[in-house]
Amino acid sequence: MFTCQIRYVARNDIYLSGIRAGLESIVSANPGWHCQLSPLSPLAQEEEHLIIIDATGCENLTTLSPESMSVLNSKHTLVMVRAIQRWLIKKLIQQYSCSILCVDEINFQMRDIIQQTMENKRYLSPLIIRQHHAASLAKPVVFTPAESTVLEYLRKGCSGSEISKLLFRSEKTISSHKRNIMGKLGVRDDFELNSKINTSVAVS
């Protein structure tokens, strides 16, 4: 028997009902599963497998509770948004590691969301991915010649120390170029960097 612990911060009971229906579907299809859905609380004793934050009514991040803000850098946190909240979506993608679900999408698989977050992978729903991709194409990222060279080696799968030896530069210098590249691409870790540079990102 596996119990999936899910905490939530709800603003709209309709969206929470949709999440609950998705969980019930998972449980009915998997007899060994059980889902415990309860409000987010600092007093909770069990570790959460998934935290759901309803941000559909937020104009900006400052309207989220301090408790909600404290978990935005976890891939175990799923933030629900509306498609029209483009500014908020952009901030969440660029500044935080949380997963993002657009509630305007009719079809989404709750099982996929739970599975990816439990594997510590970031979940971005299809509409969020399309918006982010379109924004990336609209504004090409500009790299310095040195950053472009380092980026090409990163695309080939080279490590920082390998690039250092190939370019006859210190590892500290290569690390600095890599940090600049990550900042310009709006990514926070190596996993996100590899995902970004291995897709068709417009750069110049």
Side-chain angles (χ1 to χ4, degrees), residues 125-137:
S125 60
L127 191 144
I128 299 297
I129 292 172
R130 288 196 300 273
Q131 281 193 8
H132 183 51
H133 184 65
S136 297
L137 292 177

Side-chain angles (χ1 to χ4, degrees), residues 55-75:
T56 56
C58 297
E59 293 182 10
N60 52 58
L61 292 174
T62 60
T63 55
L64 286 175
S65 67
E67 196 172 10
S68 297
M69 289 294 296
S70 70
V71 295
L72 288 183
N73 262 329
S74 169
K75 294 184 180 73

